[in-house]
Amino acid sequence: MRTRILRHGQTEYSTKQLLNGDPSVSVQLSEEGVRSCQRAWTELPLHSVRTWAASRFPRAKQTTLLLTGSARRGARGRAPAE
């Protein structure tokens, strides 16, 4: 078994070197943060990961959704309705 630890994608806060330690403050990924998560899906062996965990921070949850492909497939593994 291998354990991989990934940090969330880029946020506007991180580009300004700001910190947010409060999960109730909704700091989302920047456009570059979303793109980097999409690139990671093709560049890292993430398809073989069986268990994912994320903190309560919105940016971490958003990163996990993008890395697992859940954002593309929908919650039950289907493509989201358009």
Side-chain angles (χ1 to χ4, degrees):
M1 175 172 76
R2 289 188 179 186
T3 301
R4 298 179 192 271
I5 298 174
L6 302 172
R7 190 171 186 268
H8 62 79
Q10 182 188 76
T11 66
E12 293 300 326
Y13 263 52
S14 59
T15 61
K16 296 175 185 175
Q17 298 182 348
L18 298 173
L19 299 174
N20 170 34
D22 183 356
S24 69
V25 176
S26 183
V27 176
Q28 300 292 317
L29 299 181
S30 65
E31 288 182 27
E32 176 54 34
V34 171
R35 283 192 299 272
S36 68
C37 288
Q38 292 166 338
R39 282 192 308 271
W41 180 253
T42 60
E43 295 174 9
L44 298 173
L46 301 175
H47 60 280
S48 63
V49 176
R50 291 182 158 184
T51 304
W52 290 84
S55 71
R56 299 178 306 164
F57 288 88
R59 62 187 178 258
K61 291 179 181 182
Q62 187 180 13
T63 297
T64 303
L65 286 172
L66 289 165
L67 291 178
T68 61
S70 297
R72 292 183 295 279
R73 292 189 313 263
R76 294 193 172 163
R78 297 180 301 217
E82 298 198 29

